[in-house]
Amino acid sequence: RDRLAIAIVKRDATAVRAAIASGMDLDFNFSDLNRGRTDESPLNLAIYRGHLEIALLLLEGGADANRPDAAGRRPVHQARSAESVRLLVRFGADPNARDSRRRAATTLALERGDLQAFDMLLENGARIDAGAGGEDLLALVIEHKHPQLVGPLLDRGVDPRSPPTRALWLLIEAGDAERA
Protein backbone atom coordinates (compact mmCIF):
# COMPACT_ATOMS: atom_id res chain seq x y z
CA ARG A 1 0.00 0.00 0.00
CA ASP A 2 2.90 2.35 0.68
CA ARG A 3 4.13 1.72 -2.85
CA LEU A 4 0.72 2.68 -4.17
CA ALA A 5 0.75 5.91 -2.16
CA ILE A 6 4.20 6.76 -3.51
CA ALA A 7 3.09 5.95 -7.06
CA ILE A 8 0.03 8.20 -6.72
CA VAL A 9 2.02 11.11 -5.33
CA LYS A 10 4.71 10.73 -8.01
CA ARG A 11 2.11 10.28 -10.79
CA ASP A 12 3.63 6.92 -11.66
CA ALA A 13 0.87 5.48 -13.86
CA THR A 14 2.85 2.29 -14.53
CA ALA A 15 3.11 1.46 -10.83
CA VAL A 16 -0.57 2.31 -10.25
CA ARG A 17 -1.58 0.04 -13.13
CA ALA A 18 0.60 -2.74 -11.66
CA ALA A 19 -1.11 -2.40 -8.26
CA ILE A 20 -4.53 -2.56 -9.92
CA ALA A 21 -3.49 -5.54 -12.06
CA SER A 22 -2.29 -7.37 -8.95
CA GLY A 23 -5.87 -7.25 -7.64
CA MET A 24 -5.19 -4.74 -4.87
CA ASP A 25 -8.34 -3.46 -3.21
CA LEU A 26 -8.52 0.28 -3.90
CA ASP A 27 -11.14 1.13 -1.28
CA PHE A 28 -9.10 1.58 1.87
CA ASN A 29 -7.46 4.39 3.79
CA PHE A 30 -3.71 4.36 4.12
CA SER A 31 -4.06 4.76 7.91
CA ASP A 32 -6.15 1.56 8.20
CA LEU A 33 -3.17 -0.72 8.71
CA ASN A 34 -0.36 1.65 9.57
CA ARG A 35 -0.88 4.27 12.21
CA GLY A 36 0.66 7.57 11.26
CA ARG A 37 -0.10 7.22 7.56
CA THR A 38 -2.43 9.62 5.80
CA ASP A 39 -6.15 9.20 6.47
CA GLU A 40 -6.76 9.52 2.73
CA SER A 41 -7.94 6.81 0.40
CA PRO A 42 -6.01 6.27 -2.84
CA LEU A 43 -8.66 8.16 -4.82
CA ASN A 44 -8.75 11.08 -2.36
CA LEU A 45 -4.95 11.21 -2.49
CA ALA A 46 -5.02 11.54 -6.28
CA ILE A 47 -7.96 13.96 -6.49
CA TYR A 48 -6.67 16.34 -3.81
CA ARG A 49 -3.35 16.60 -5.63
CA GLY A 50 -5.01 17.13 -9.01
CA HIS A 51 -3.57 13.92 -10.48
CA LEU A 52 -6.53 13.24 -12.71
CA GLU A 53 -4.84 10.66 -14.93
CA ILE A 54 -4.10 8.61 -11.81
CA ALA A 55 -7.63 9.19 -10.48
CA LEU A 56 -9.03 7.88 -13.76
CA LEU A 57 -6.92 4.72 -13.47
CA LEU A 58 -8.17 4.20 -9.91
CA LEU A 59 -11.80 4.75 -10.90
CA GLU A 60 -11.51 2.43 -13.88
CA GLY A 61 -9.83 -0.07 -11.55
CA GLY A 62 -12.88 -0.10 -9.29
CA ALA A 63 -12.29 2.66 -6.72
CA ASP A 64 -15.58 3.90 -5.27
CA ALA A 65 -16.17 7.56 -6.24
CA ASN A 66 -18.27 8.09 -3.08
CA ARG A 67 -16.15 6.30 -0.47
CA PRO A 68 -15.16 8.53 2.44
CA ASP A 69 -11.64 8.56 3.78
CA ALA A 70 -10.89 8.14 7.49
CA ALA A 71 -11.63 11.83 8.09
CA GLY A 72 -15.06 11.50 6.45
CA ARG A 73 -14.14 13.38 3.27
CA ARG A 74 -15.37 12.02 -0.03
CA PRO A 75 -13.39 12.61 -3.22
CA VAL A 76 -15.80 15.37 -4.31
CA HIS A 77 -14.87 17.28 -1.14
CA GLN A 78 -11.23 17.19 -2.25
CA ALA A 79 -11.87 18.25 -5.87
CA ARG A 80 -10.26 21.54 -6.87
CA SER A 81 -11.01 21.67 -10.60
CA ALA A 82 -13.97 21.38 -12.92
CA GLU A 83 -12.29 18.42 -14.61
CA SER A 84 -11.95 16.53 -11.32
CA VAL A 85 -15.61 17.10 -10.43
CA ARG A 86 -16.73 16.02 -13.91
CA LEU A 87 -14.58 12.89 -13.67
CA LEU A 88 -15.98 11.96 -10.27
CA VAL A 89 -19.58 12.63 -11.29
CA ARG A 90 -19.06 10.52 -14.43
CA PHE A 91 -18.12 7.62 -12.15
CA GLY A 92 -21.13 8.15 -9.89
CA ALA A 93 -19.94 10.65 -7.27
CA ASP A 94 -22.69 12.56 -5.51
CA PRO A 95 -21.88 16.31 -5.75
CA ASN A 96 -24.23 16.88 -2.78
CA ALA A 97 -22.58 14.31 -0.49
CA ARG A 98 -21.75 15.47 3.00
CA ASP A 99 -18.59 14.89 4.97
CA SER A 100 -18.48 13.57 8.54
CA ARG A 101 -19.25 17.08 9.83
CA ARG A 102 -22.32 17.27 7.53
CA ARG A 103 -20.71 19.80 5.17
CA ALA A 104 -21.29 19.64 1.43
CA ALA A 105 -18.52 20.27 -1.09
CA THR A 106 -20.15 23.61 -1.93
CA THR A 107 -19.85 24.67 1.71
CA LEU A 108 -16.17 23.68 1.81
CA ALA A 109 -15.51 25.65 -1.38
CA LEU A 110 -17.08 28.75 0.15
CA GLU A 111 -15.12 28.30 3.39
CA ARG A 112 -11.96 28.43 1.24
CA GLY A 113 -13.31 31.46 -0.63
CA ASP A 114 -13.22 29.49 -3.87
CA LEU A 115 -16.12 30.79 -5.96
CA GLN A 116 -14.80 28.96 -9.04
CA ALA A 117 -15.00 25.62 -7.21
CA PHE A 118 -18.48 26.53 -5.96
CA ASP A 119 -19.58 27.29 -9.53
CA MET A 120 -18.09 24.10 -10.97
CA LEU A 121 -19.92 22.05 -8.34
CA LEU A 122 -23.19 23.76 -9.25
CA GLU A 123 -22.52 23.08 -12.94
CA ASN A 124 -22.09 19.40 -12.11
CA GLY A 125 -25.28 18.91 -10.15
CA ALA A 126 -24.63 20.34 -6.69
CA ARG A 127 -27.50 22.26 -5.15
CA ILE A 128 -27.07 25.67 -3.55
CA ASP A 129 -29.15 24.44 -0.61
CA ALA A 130 -26.94 21.37 -0.06
CA GLY A 131 -24.98 23.05 2.73
CA ALA A 132 -24.82 21.63 6.21
CA GLY A 133 -28.44 21.36 7.25
CA GLY A 134 -29.68 24.70 5.96
CA GLU A 135 -26.41 26.53 6.56
CA ASP A 136 -26.45 30.30 6.27
CA LEU A 137 -24.04 30.55 3.31
CA LEU A 138 -23.96 34.34 3.38
CA ALA A 139 -22.91 34.39 7.03
CA LEU A 140 -20.48 31.54 6.37
CA VAL A 141 -18.49 33.52 3.80
CA ILE A 142 -18.34 36.54 6.10
CA GLU A 143 -17.25 34.44 9.08
CA HIS A 144 -14.50 32.86 6.95
CA LYS A 145 -13.27 36.30 5.87
CA HIS A 146 -14.64 36.26 2.32
CA PRO A 147 -17.26 39.06 2.40
CA GLN A 148 -16.56 39.79 -1.28
CA LEU A 149 -18.56 36.64 -2.06
CA VAL A 150 -21.84 38.01 -0.66
CA GLY A 151 -22.81 39.74 -3.93
CA PRO A 152 -21.87 36.80 -6.19
CA LEU A 153 -23.82 34.40 -3.96
CA LEU A 154 -26.90 36.61 -4.14
CA ASP A 155 -26.45 36.71 -7.93
CA ARG A 156 -26.37 32.88 -7.98
CA GLY A 157 -29.65 32.60 -6.13
CA VAL A 158 -28.69 32.26 -2.47
CA ASP A 159 -31.80 33.46 -0.64
CA PRO A 160 -31.05 35.64 2.42
CA ARG A 161 -34.47 34.76 3.83
CA SER A 162 -34.11 30.98 3.81
CA PRO A 163 -32.63 30.34 6.23
CA PRO A 164 -32.83 33.82 7.68
CA THR A 165 -29.30 35.17 7.35
CA ARG A 166 -27.16 36.72 10.05
CA ALA A 167 -24.99 38.23 7.31
CA LEU A 168 -26.47 41.72 7.56
CA TRP A 169 -25.59 42.01 11.25
CA LEU A 170 -22.13 40.54 10.71
CA LEU A 171 -21.44 43.12 8.00
CA ILE A 172 -22.75 45.96 10.17
CA GLU A 173 -20.64 44.80 13.13
CA ALA A 174 -17.60 44.67 10.83
CA GLY A 175 -18.29 48.22 9.64
CA ASP A 176 -18.88 47.07 6.05
CA ALA A 177 -21.77 49.42 5.27
CA GLU A 178 -21.37 49.06 1.50
CA ARG A 179 -22.00 45.31 1.50
CA ALA A 180 -24.63 45.58 4.24
Side-chain angles (χ1 to χ4, degrees):
R1 290 183 173 185
D2 285 342
R3 287 186 192 145
L4 179 61
I6 292 167
I8 292 168
V9 171
K10 290 186 173 186
R11 293 183 181 193
D12 184 347
T14 302
V16 171
R17 279 189 197 95
I20 293 168
S22 75
M24 177 182 281
D25 175 27
L26 301 175
D27 289 326
F28 66 90
N29 301 318
F30 290 102
S31 61
D32 288 346
L33 295 177
N34 296 321
R35 216 171 127 198
R37 300 291 197 272
T38 179
D39 285 338
E40 293 173 294
S41 68
L43 184 56
N44 279 21
L45 191 69
I47 288 292
Y48 181 73
R49 285 158 184 78
H51 300 174
L52 300 187
E53 67 283 355
I54 300 297
L56 177 61
L57 290 174
L58 294 168
L59 288 162
E60 289 175 341
D64 181 354
N66 284 303
R67 185 184 183 284
D69 65 13
R73 296 173 302 238
R74 297 173 194 277
V76 73
H77 297 124
Q78 303 287 52
R80 301 294 191 266
S81 71
E83 296 80 22
S84 59
V85 172
R86 278 197 281 294
L87 175 66
L88 292 167
V89 169
R90 189 173 94 208
F91 279 86
D94 178 2
N96 295 302
R98 298 170 189 256
D99 69 8
S100 61
R101 294 176 51 201
R102 305 274 310 136
R103 297 172 304 173
T106 50
T107 301
L108 296 171
L110 292 176
E111 285 178 359
R112 292 189 312 268
D114 191 345
L115 188 61
Q116 182 180 0
F118 180 80
D119 285 342
M120 67 147 171
L121 286 159
L122 294 179
E123 288 171 18
N124 285 280
R127 296 183 330 267
I128 287 178
D129 65 348
E135 180 129 37
D136 182 350
L137 296 178
L138 297 170
L140 178 111
V141 296
I142 295 166
E143 290 167 342
H144 282 86
K145 313 254 186 278
H146 307 295
Q148 73 279 6
L149 297 183
V150 169
L153 288 177
L154 292 170
D155 292 343
R156 283 158 178 79
V158 173
D159 185 350
R161 296 165 294 191
S162 179
T165 188
R166 300 180 338 274
L168 180 61
W169 298 111
L170 293 170
L171 289 169
I172 291 169
E173 288 173 0
D176 192 344
E178 182 179 331
R179 286 192 181 94

